[in-house]
Amino acid sequence: MTTYQRKTPIKNDCNIEKALLVISGKWKPAILSALLKQNLRLRDMQAGLPEATKRALTQQLKEMIEDGLITKKDFQQFPKKTEYSMTSLGKKLTVVFKELDHFGNLL
């Protein structure tokens, strides 16, 4: 099995482009919006986004973990339980998402 590689490398010369790159992706806005409200398991995200494949969700979750926006916690229990939550850096997106929601209402 090959390791997933980000298709678009993060550039360091433009902060806006860098910010948009880490929050853009087909499912990232929906995932981040949901995680800003509560911690979730992968199956909860799949239930909320039935058109998203498990593979696509896990790839985007992995990218957001690598970017420091979310964390993954594995519970030592059976059956296996894994939960995703926002990091302190990720929580700074609250204001951004509120403004995007406001802007979307204007359209």
Side-chain angles (χ1 to χ4, degrees):
M1 186 167 98
T2 60
T3 305
Y4 175 77
Q5 294 290 321
R6 180 187 300 275
K7 292 180 179 135
T8 309
I10 296 177
K11 298 178 183 178
N12 287 319
D13 59 344
C14 178
N15 289 333
I16 294 171
E17 184 179 354
K18 190 168 39 170
L20 288 174
L21 186 61
V22 298
I23 66 169
S24 65
K26 187 163 186 177
W27 307 110
K28 285 182 185 180
I31 294 167
L32 290 168
S33 182
L35 287 174
L36 283 168
K37 295 174 186 156
Q38 62 182 350
N39 297 346
L40 293 170
R41 297 172 70 177
L42 179 60
R43 67 183 176 128
D44 299 326
M45 289 180 227
Q46 287 178 293
L49 299 166
E51 58 279 356
T53 65
K54 182 177 181 180
R55 181 174 183 261
L57 288 175
T58 55
Q59 284 179 343
Q60 296 209 334
L61 287 164
K62 182 183 270 190
E63 284 184 10
M64 290 186 286
I65 290 169
E66 289 173 3
D67 293 333
L69 301 178
I70 65 173
T71 60
K72 175 182 174 181
K73 181 177 180 183
D74 292 316
F75 293 88
Q76 300 301 319
Q77 67 182 50
F78 185 81
K80 184 178 175 182
K81 179 181 176 184
T82 302
E83 190 175 80
Y84 296 88
S85 61
M86 299 298 288
T87 62
S88 58
L89 177 63
K91 288 177 184 176
K92 293 181 187 294
L93 288 170
T94 302
V95 175
V96 174
F97 273 72
K98 283 182 182 177
E99 288 299 319
L100 286 171
D101 182 56
H102 176 70
F103 181 76
N105 283 331
L106 299 174
L107 300 175

